[in-house]
DNA sequence: CCGTAAGCGAGACGGTACGTCGAGTCTTGGG
DNA sequence: CCCAAGACTCGACGTACCGTCTCGCTTACGG
């Protein structure tokens, strides 16, 4: 039986090699600026194009949606931020292993709390998270490119701890990570209570108690 | 220092006593139907009005936004659902206290998992959660009317457990609840891994281990 | 054969004897005020009702349209104006017959010019004329109640002149009136050239020359 | 003293060279069709756009109001009608000069009468005249583009007659034209009495008698 | 080295929905 | 049963953006 699917859209992917880097950057800058100035909802593709001094088609040529633009812009921002911090551009930093699991986790969780409270990151992250809740495709890309890499740092640190006997050998690292990160995100998303370093510490303490090696 | 806020629009609140109950119900029904049929993004106020056989103005008169309509509609749905289940209309049911804390929590957490997987609830809840992330006002109403009451059931059950000596007396019930619910929401929101009863059980086990009375 | 016309609207004419005179006056005042303040197009029935402190239904009960309200209001204004001028309220004044036809006509035509240039009368008259062009029913009422009575004064004066031998006995008084009044209205309606006393005089002179008794 | 007028909106006139001729024609056709089918008042910009298969914005981009659209549509209609009649498109035809002034004027005045009675022209002309009474801007455009060119034909013919000694040398051609055309328009606008060829003839006769060279 | 086929800025286009306004109808409560 | 008040349905308004579609114009490549 032949495939009768009506050629789901060839779409003629444009030639990426001739793409204008200048426009790409201008679009990212405009998108981030507009989102933090006016909020995601009031940001429009038309507005981004105008602010970037770019034709609308140049956006539609390379991205399928406003959210996709913002995701890439935000990713780019992260990369630039990390490059500014540490010399190289490997895109992130492993959780250090000082031997003190609790201390290591607290350090990183506190950093996460700080980032969540940083207004520069807040607007785009909220927007992307919100869009991802509702749009599975974007949600997948969001999870995959922003969230999951973060979680993997935790996973690896906990696996190391398991190796070192700092947590019960039966520990599921994935679940452990979610125990740490889930409550944090919950507060952030629903704004139920303030996100503080003390809260991060308390989380780590409780979770590690649950994971302690059985006597 | 005088208040220079530019008189945020009096808006002449309409007379609620003359409100048409028939229209209100029709709007709720239409909103819920459209959201589950076509998704929140493709649902429009115009569409709701048309489906409900109602003038747009009647919607704009009573609600500030599409999200607000849906929130009320969903609340109404919950109330009706609960009224249908148990005779009275007190809007919810306390977590039973059988004496076995783990079993009680697992039962409820499994129910939550089931609800999160129920397509009828999923579409509106995702939409409202997403909107709430980005719109603080709506987020506050969402949290207050939908989320917080649920959390309070857990809080009370854990307080009872503390009283009974089933958990460490230093336990912060609020944090305990977030340890249970945060990871669940995290998976649901980001669709990282499937939500199963087994996951709910594992959560309860780990959290309770962390809360166990110190010997 | 029975009349199958579908009962073109019973409409149950309300009981005029119980009508509130106070409301009627308030509506007229509001209508005239709003039209001269904001123009006819921006005047709304809702606005008239609000300004008059009257329910909308009270307007809809007694008039079929905004234009009809304004027509009655304007009629009422004329009556009051005339009552103020001469003691009685017969609604108008015959053209005086001094024996000098040209002088008599010039006097009245100049008065007409003055009225057309009077801003108080201009706004409502233009509005009603415009509405009458397009709405035959209203046009008929406009012509009948406002225009035709004016024209009849001229008709009678010219008939008197014919009797007196001041114009050709074959003269059609109706046509004569239109020769006088038509050009005036033409300038007023289309704003082609200014309306002056000199123009009125010139009109009278030319028309009377055409009507002079054949030697 | 500086001009404090609040910058009356630049409005960024669109680029006329990129305008879609196809849309322009479709809009004209739709506007004329709707006005003659349903009347001017019941014709809406939305309706025109829908009928023309055009976005509303395309109308709002090029015209300020429904009346302006109709005026252009009507102008276009006239041009096309004249092009169809005589080969060239000079937009109109001079009044012929056969030497017999009365006959020439009667011919043209009868044609005007016919046009005023032609239902195809009646609806739009009435609508535009009405709108022009009330809206000075549109009235000016109406007068300038539709009315005045017509009047100029008469003016020129009468000037020629003055040259030829057929009318008094002191004759003001403008006033003469208004004496002819004013009464005609008066009847048409107020629908007082029917417009007939006989009436046109009578008008010409009376007016020319008034203009006859003084012995 | 020179066409020619991209990508590009610009922005008009056909659409959809917005949020507002007013029309005309209906209902409620007061006199 | 008239009236003030105002909520209701309906439909048009004029605006904002959507995503698509030409336009010329650069700008790099491939014959």
């Amino acid at each position: 039986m032949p495939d009768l699917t009506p050629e789901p859209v060839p779409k003629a992917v444009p030639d990426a090699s001739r793409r204008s880097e200048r426009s790409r950057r201008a679009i990212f800058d405009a998108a981030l600026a507009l989102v933090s100035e006016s909020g995601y909802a009031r940001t429009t593709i038309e507005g981004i194009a105008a602010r970037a001094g770019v034709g609308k088609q140049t956006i539609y040529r390379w991205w399928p949606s406003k959210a996709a633009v913002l995701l890439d812009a935000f990713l780019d921002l992260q990369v630039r931020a990390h490059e500014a911090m540490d010399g190289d551009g490997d895109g992130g930093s492993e959780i250090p292993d000082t031997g003190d699991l609790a201390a290591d986790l607290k350090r990183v969780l506190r950093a996460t709390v700080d980032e969540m409270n940083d207004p520069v990151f807040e607007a785009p992250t909220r927007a992307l998270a919100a869009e991802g809740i509702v749009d599975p495709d974007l949600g997948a890309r969001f999870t995959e490119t922003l969230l999951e890499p973060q979680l993997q740092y935790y996973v690896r640190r906990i696996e190391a701890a398991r190796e070192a006997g700092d947590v019960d050998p039966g520990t599921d690292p994935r679940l452990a990570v979610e125990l740490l990160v889930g409550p944090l995100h919950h507060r952030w998303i629903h704004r139920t209570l303030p996100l503080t370093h003390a809260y991060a510490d308390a989380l780590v303490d409780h979770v590690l108690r649950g994971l302690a090696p059985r006597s």
Side-chain angles (χ1 to χ4, degrees), chain A residues 115-208:
Chain A
E115 199 170 287
M116 285 172 159
N117 285 327
D118 179 347
V120 171
F121 284 72
E122 180 161 13
T125 318
R126 282 192 180 276
L128 290 170
E131 204 71 33
I133 290 179
V134 145
D135 171 352
D137 283 358
L138 188 94
R141 281 204 62 208
F142 175 81
T143 297
E144 186 183 311
T145 56
L146 278 175
L147 183 63
E148 204 58 54
Q150 287 292 331
L151 299 188
Q152 288 307 319
Y153 295 136
Y154 289 93
V155 166
R156 281 193 291 274
R157 182 66 188 81
I158 287 165
E159 278 172 343
R162 191 172 53 183
E163 232 87 311
D166 293 336
V167 299
D168 189 275
T171 299
D172 173 357
R174 180 76 203 189
L175 193 149
V177 171
E178 290 175 348
L179 281 166
L180 286 170
V181 160
L184 215 60
H185 281 208
H186 192 263
R187 280 207 176 179
W188 180 70
I189 282 182
H190 295 117
R191 300 187 188 79
T192 43
L193 292 170
L195 284 175
T196 61
H197 286 186
Y199 182 62
D201 293 354
L203 270 178
V204 172
D205 290 338
H206 274 88
V207 171
L208 288 190

Side-chain angles (χ1 to χ4, degrees), chain A residues 6-31:
Chain A
E7 202 53 36
V9 175
K11 199 52 181 295
V13 175
D15 179 350
S17 74
R18 307 189 55 174
R19 183 168 182 182
S20 158
E21 177 61 13
R22 144 192 277 282
S23 295
R24 200 176 131 268
R25 300 305 301 262
I27 288 164
F28 286 166
D29 293 347

Side-chain angles (χ1 to χ4, degrees), chain A residues 20-175:
Chain A
S20 158
E21 177 61 13
R22 144 192 277 282
S23 295
R24 200 176 131 268
R25 300 305 301 262
I27 288 164
F28 286 166
D29 293 347
L32 291 170
L34 287 173
V35 165
S36 40
E37 283 168 21
S38 330
Y40 177 73
R42 270 194 298 284
T43 297
T44 66
I45 292 199
E46 230 158 41
I48 296 171
R51 171 96 155 224
V54 137
K56 280 201 284 177
Q57 203 58 260
T58 300
I59 298 185
Y60 284 110
R61 188 158 23 235
W62 302 109
W63 291 277
S65 68
K66 177 173 66 158
V69 174
L70 186 58
L71 178 54
D72 279 3
F74 192 62
L75 246 37
D76 183 77
L77 176 67
Q78 301 249 83
V79 168
R80 278 184 286 171
H82 280 290
E83 276 177 6
M85 259 185 3
D86 42 59
D88 65 279
D90 71 347
S93 38
E94 209 63 35
I95 298 182
D97 186 343
T98 66
D100 182 344
L101 178 60
D104 291 352
L105 291 178
K106 284 177 185 173
R107 171 135 32 108
V108 185
L109 222 55
R110 284 173 171 217
T112 302
V113 163
D114 289 341
E115 199 170 287
M116 285 172 159
N117 285 327
D118 179 347
V120 171
F121 284 72
E122 180 161 13
T125 318
R126 282 192 180 276
L128 290 170
E131 204 71 33
I133 290 179
V134 145
D135 171 352
D137 283 358
L138 188 94
R141 281 204 62 208
F142 175 81
T143 297
E144 186 183 311
T145 56
L146 278 175
L147 183 63
E148 204 58 54
Q150 287 292 331
L151 299 188
Q152 288 307 319
Y153 295 136
Y154 289 93
V155 166
R156 281 193 291 274
R157 182 66 188 81
I158 287 165
E159 278 172 343
R162 191 172 53 183
E163 232 87 311
D166 293 336
V167 299
D168 189 275
T171 299
D172 173 357
R174 180 76 203 189
L175 193 149

